Amino acid sequence: MTAAGLRWSVAPTGLGYGADYYPEQWEKSTWLEDIELMHRAGVNYVSLGVFAWSWLEPEPGRFHFDTFDEIMDLLGAHDISVGLGTATSSPPAWLVCRHPEMRPVDDSGRVLEFGGRQSWCPSSPVYREFSLRLVEAVAEHYRDHPALALWHVSNELGCHNARCYCETSAVAFRRWLRNRYGTLDELNRAWATAFWSQRYTDWFEVQPPRLAPTFPNPTSQLDFARFSDDELRSQLLAERDLLRRITPGVPVTTNFMVGATKNMNYLAWGPDVDVVSNDHYLVEGLAEPEVELAMSADLTRGVARGRSWMLMEQSTSAVNWGTVNRAKRPGEMWRNSLSQVSRGAEVIAYFQWRASSAGAEKFHSAMVPHAGESTRVFEEVVAQGELLARLDQVIGSRSQNSVAFLVDYEAWWAGELDSHPSQNFRYRDEAMRWYAAFWRVGIGVDLVGVDADLSGYSLVIVPTLYLTTDATAAAVDRFVSVGGTALVTYFSGIVDESDHVRLGGYPGAFRDMLGIRTQEFLPLRPGQTVDLSDGSTASVWTEDCVATSAETVLSYASSQIAGRVAVSRNNHRHGHAWYVSCALGPETVDALVQRITAELGIQPVAHTSDGVEVVRRISRDNHTLTFVINHRDEERTVTGLGGMDVLTDETIGSPVVLRPGQTLVVRS
Ligand code: GAL
């Protein structure tokens, strides 16, 4: 069976709603209460067995399925679809103790012991062998179970063990490098080993970039990031292939951490799975955490190549792993969920169903808190189930945006390496600086990889794409040449895929298209600003940039670069290419985004004011679904809407005054 949106072998009715479920932590009497509460909340999906290795295989080769058989039967009998874990994420003590060589090692040689989770080296053949034996046993055992809707491979691959520097990893790294470069001469060229006497004369001399007296070779760091990503990905592929062989009809997923980590190249991993899943936890300390949530969700849709996806984990309220863990405000959980749905999520799930009474996550919120069902959180959980049940028509809907953001993990890895002009530059922050302006004005964007087809877009934003391959530079140039508009921000187009500078003036890869030339970077200290010609200021970064053919839109008004280009616009063949050589303040970014989108005739979804999120999807029957979320504790007015609110069946006209925290899904 397949819902129109996500692939399932047993599709839940309507949008999926549920959680990670760990019944093995509880007595059987609790399981029955769980089922009753799940029904009350409208839960129709759970992830099961995610950390159950030591339960399923209590000693080497002896498998024990009785407990999970009972639970699977119980869930199946109550129409709750199961995403069954392959349980490989957290190897049992018997395995790690018998094979201590599989423990991960950090860059300074410290061994990461058993006792937490994910104590395995991604390159360990021992781990691979034992984990696949478990996957095979689980898949063979549950292959025909009627509750099995989906396979959930591992858990957040690379969450704690993304980079391992042990000897096994060193051998695997050398193998990977031989494969990439063929010869040592080629490696010496790519790694520029003429510098600091780093030349290699035998493969055994090549090491992972372990802690060194000073900066390890940057290209070796970049290659190690690529290698580590490949090693984890190969675990996913090995488990997936085994599952596909045993249960070809059951789709495979694994929960990504898009937005939260740069370590895994999820844009490349997306097509590896049948269903893209993501975990998202609010980032503390941000003035508007909902903007980061939206950006992560849009990037997840990019990872899913525009298709629907699952929100596998979020928190109902506080997490337990921050320094001070904030409980969510009333209604915040629902607003977070609705934003994810508006950006393509067809399952809203949580870590976890019932708050653990013991263990390292006992203070993490859950759908059923320690205080039980008579709680604000559980009441909101039930109310959310009722609202989600009204959103069937979201299934199979799609977004339709005219603006793309180019995202590239290799540029993220390389751009944030040490020994750069500034350590205060953060790739994600710069992308978010521009993303936030589109969020604020209510214009939807797609976050896509550098290999995406750009032809359907009017505007492409290229935030700080430090590493730019020839192919990417050519693709952006082609897009502009045929009439598109691109906006490139500072520290883009600087190096090639080997992290070698493109000479002749920055940004080498885009210089001609942009009609500018930068001869020197002038990054700013925290708190330092430079005045701009419109009275605003730049922070973080400035450049000694001159126009060669571009028109200067904004210039620097103070410091040694007064008069130089801060923002420029170039006519390039049939299109336009903008350059921004500094980090602009939000008002200036807003003004530029509004000017450029107005010039291109790109309209906001609706007109609103600060703190209101508006997102549009097109339903399968070609109706417009406009999601409106008031994130503020004050009333807000929105104009430009008209239709019926699917959440309440009320007719919505324009203008509409939103109550504090109110949400709408307007169908027209
Ligand atoms: C995720 C993880 C879950 C749980 C959760 C807590 O990273 O997948 O197992 O630990 O965080 O927020």
Side-chain angles (χ1 to χ4, degrees):
M1 241 192 300
T2 305
L6 287 185
R7 272 194 63 196
W8 298 93
S9 53
V10 191
T13 314
L15 292 177
Y17 185 38
D20 277 20
Y21 183 37
Y22 298 100
E24 67 272 31
Q25 295 176 16
W26 300 92
E27 298 297 330
K28 280 192 192 169
S29 53
T30 311
W31 304 356
L32 298 175
E33 187 190 314
D34 285 338
I35 297 287
E36 201 271 305
L37 293 179
M38 284 180 190
H39 263 250
R40 217 185 305 161
V43 163
N44 55 16
Y45 168 83
V46 295
S47 285
L48 191 72
V50 173
F51 293 105
W53 191 339
S54 68
W55 192 281
L56 293 169
E57 192 184 4
E59 40 187 271
R62 185 171 72 76
F63 294 96
H64 160 84
F65 292 114
D66 297 359
T67 312
F68 280 89
D69 288 352
E70 234 180 291
I71 296 164
M72 287 288 283
D73 292 349
L74 192 64
L75 291 165
H78 290 86
D79 295 326
I80 296 172
S81 302
V82 177
L84 188 57
T86 59
T88 53
S89 171
S90 209
W94 59 255
L95 179 57
V96 183
C97 291
R98 279 178 178 74
H99 294 282
E101 72 278 15
M102 66 180 265
R103 294 167 304 175
V105 172
D106 75 5
D107 67 341
S108 52
R110 287 184 311 175
V111 176
L112 307 180
E113 294 289 353
F114 179 82
R117 61 177 173 183
Q118 278 190 346
S119 39
W120 51 277
C121 156
S123 303
S124 163
V126 171
Y127 170 78
R128 178 65 60 89
E129 183 192 328
F130 280 85
S131 62
L132 292 187
R133 187 173 76 174
L134 174 70
V135 177
E136 185 163 14
V138 172
E140 288 291 357
H141 188 80
Y142 289 107
R143 55 187 303 162
D144 298 318
H145 198 286
L148 175 62
L150 191 71
W151 288 115
H152 179 318
V153 167
S154 194
N155 187 68
E156 292 187 343
L157 283 158
C159 180
H160 311 291
N161 62 348
R163 307 266 162 95
C164 175
Y165 298 78
C166 74
E167 263 318 299
T168 306
S169 300
V171 171
F173 185 41
R174 279 177 215 124
R175 198 180 316 123
W176 185 94
L177 290 167
R178 272 178 189 260
N179 201 28
R180 181 174 175 90
Y181 294 115
T183 63
L184 262 188
D185 280 350
E186 194 42 35
L187 178 134
N188 278 312
R189 183 207 62 77
W191 286 19
T193 54
F195 182 80
W196 280 355
S197 186
Q198 291 175 348
R199 190 175 168 73
Y200 296 103
T201 52
D202 195 303
W203 285 99
F204 86 89
E205 298 157 1
V206 181
Q207 305 290 335
R210 295 177 174 133
L211 187 65
T214 184
F215 311 119
N217 180 300
T219 316
S220 90
Q221 294 192 59
L222 176 59
D223 275 343
F224 194 66
R226 290 171 170 138
F227 155 79
S228 303
D229 172 70
D230 277 352
E231 292 296 274
L232 282 162
R233 189 174 171 193
S234 81
Q235 177 69 25
L236 167 62
L237 297 181
E239 292 195 31
R240 181 204 66 185
D241 291 348
L242 186 51
L243 293 166
R244 282 190 178 162
R245 177 169 65 69
I246 299 170
T247 53
V250 182
V252 176
T253 191
T254 186
N255 44 346
F256 296 155
M257 300 170 282
V258 173
T261 175
K262 65 178 175 189
N263 285 334
M264 277 64 67
N265 184 349
Y266 292 129
L267 283 161
W269 290 36
D272 293 345
V273 288
D274 300 312
V275 173
V276 165
S277 296
N278 195 41
D279 294 352
H280 184 270
Y281 292 93
L282 289 184
V283 178
E284 272 315 307
L286 294 180
E288 294 182 306
E290 51 274 6
V291 177
E292 188 282 330
L293 180 150
M295 189 167 99
S296 293
D298 281 344
L299 181 53
T300 306
R301 193 178 63 253
V303 168
R305 311 280 158 123
R307 290 194 306 271
S308 335
W309 47 277
M310 298 179 69
L311 182 73
M312 186 72 93
E313 285 183 29
Q314 57 178 339
S315 66
T316 56
S317 191
V319 298
N320 70 305
W321 36 260
T323 316
V324 175
N325 299 297
R326 178 181 74 85
K328 286 190 181 174
R329 295 181 291 144
E332 194 175 358
M333 177 182 78
W334 163 245
R335 292 191 290 277
N336 291 165
S337 298
L338 191 63
S339 176
Q340 305 272 9
V341 170
S342 77
R343 297 168 194 283
E346 290 192 4
V347 174
I348 291 297
Y350 288 87
F351 175 84
Q352 60 173 325
W353 165 248
R354 183 182 279 279
S356 301
S357 63
E361 296 189 314
K362 57 183 171 299
F363 291 116
H364 195 288
S365 62
M367 293 176 91
V368 183
H370 287 152
E373 60 192 274
S374 305
T375 47
R376 173 188 75 81
V377 167
F378 189 68
E379 279 164 19
E380 289 197 22
V381 161
V382 173
Q384 171 162 289
E386 285 161 10
L387 291 170
L388 288 173
R390 300 184 74 102
L391 291 177
D392 282 11
Q393 55 195 299
V394 170
I395 295 176
S397 62
R398 61 189 189 280
S399 50
Q400 207 172 57
N401 296 317
S402 315
V403 183
F405 272 55
L406 283 197
V407 178
D408 186 50
Y409 280 83
E410 298 211 352
W412 194 350
W413 296 335
E416 290 186 358
L417 286 176
D418 50 38
S419 62
H420 277 189
S422 170
Q423 285 302 304
N424 295 327
F425 152 82
R426 285 287 164 272
Y427 179 75
R428 194 176 64 158
D429 291 355
E430 287 309 317
M432 201 156 23
R433 188 186 298 283
W434 290 87
Y435 179 89
F438 287 90
W439 189 100
R440 283 191 288 265
V441 75
I443 293 176
V445 306
D446 291 341
L447 273 67
V448 300
V450 289
D451 56 351
D453 174 9
L454 301 178
S455 59
Y457 295 104
S458 314
L459 174 62
V460 171
I461 309 291
V462 185
T464 54
L465 197 73
Y466 165 75
L467 181 155
T468 305
T469 63
D470 291 349
T472 301
V476 177
D477 192 291
R478 218 166 25 246
F479 167 76
V480 173
S481 296
V482 298
T485 296
L487 182 144
V488 179
T489 78
Y490 69 87
F491 213 37
S492 288
I494 306 300
V495 298
D496 64 12
E497 61 267 41
S498 299
D499 197 29
H500 293 195
V501 172
R502 295 176 176 278
L503 303 175
Y506 313 119
F510 297 119
R511 204 172 49 223
D512 294 340
M513 177 188 84
L514 295 168
I516 50 102
R517 182 169 174 272
T518 288
Q519 55 172 293
E520 204 170 9
F521 300 131
L522 297 116
L524 304 178
R525 290 186 304 278
Q528 191 187 358
T529 55
V530 169
D531 296 334
L532 300 179
S533 51
D534 67 347
S536 66
T537 55
S539 61
V540 185
W541 190 278
T542 59
E543 293 180 1
D544 184 347
C545 175
V546 294
T548 49
S549 60
E551 159 208 351
T552 301
V553 176
L554 279 181
S555 51
Y556 295 105
S558 61
S559 99
Q560 73 202 60
I561 46 169
R564 297 285 204 255
V565 171
V567 178
S568 62
R569 180 181 189 268
N570 194 36
N571 297 327
H572 183 63
R573 306 216 169 87
H574 298 287
H576 303 287
W578 292 72
Y579 185 57
V580 178
S581 73
C582 54
L584 297 170
E587 292 81 15
T588 319
V589 175
D590 285 351
L592 275 174
V593 164
Q594 283 168 29
R595 170 176 166 184
I596 297 170
T597 52
E599 275 174 16
L600 295 172
I602 302 170
Q603 295 295 327
V605 168
H607 296 279
T608 176
S609 54
D610 129 81
V612 180
E613 181 173 356
V614 284
V615 188
R616 175 167 297 159
R617 293 186 74 71
I618 311 298
S619 70
R620 260 180 303 153
D621 57 354
N622 288 319
H623 281 268
T624 296
L625 298 172
T626 307
F627 295 73
V628 183
I629 306 174
N630 180 5
H631 290 279
R632 294 287 186 268
D633 293 330
E634 296 148 23
E635 286 186 349
R636 286 285 182 270
T637 302
V638 185
T639 55
L641 293 174
M644 199 197 64
D645 175 22
V646 181
L647 299 174
T648 57
D649 294 339
E650 277 169 24
T651 303
I652 302 296
S654 177
V656 59
V657 178
L658 301 173
R659 292 186 303 278
Q662 190 183 349
T663 56
L664 305 171
V665 180
V666 182
R667 176 182 160 98
S668 53

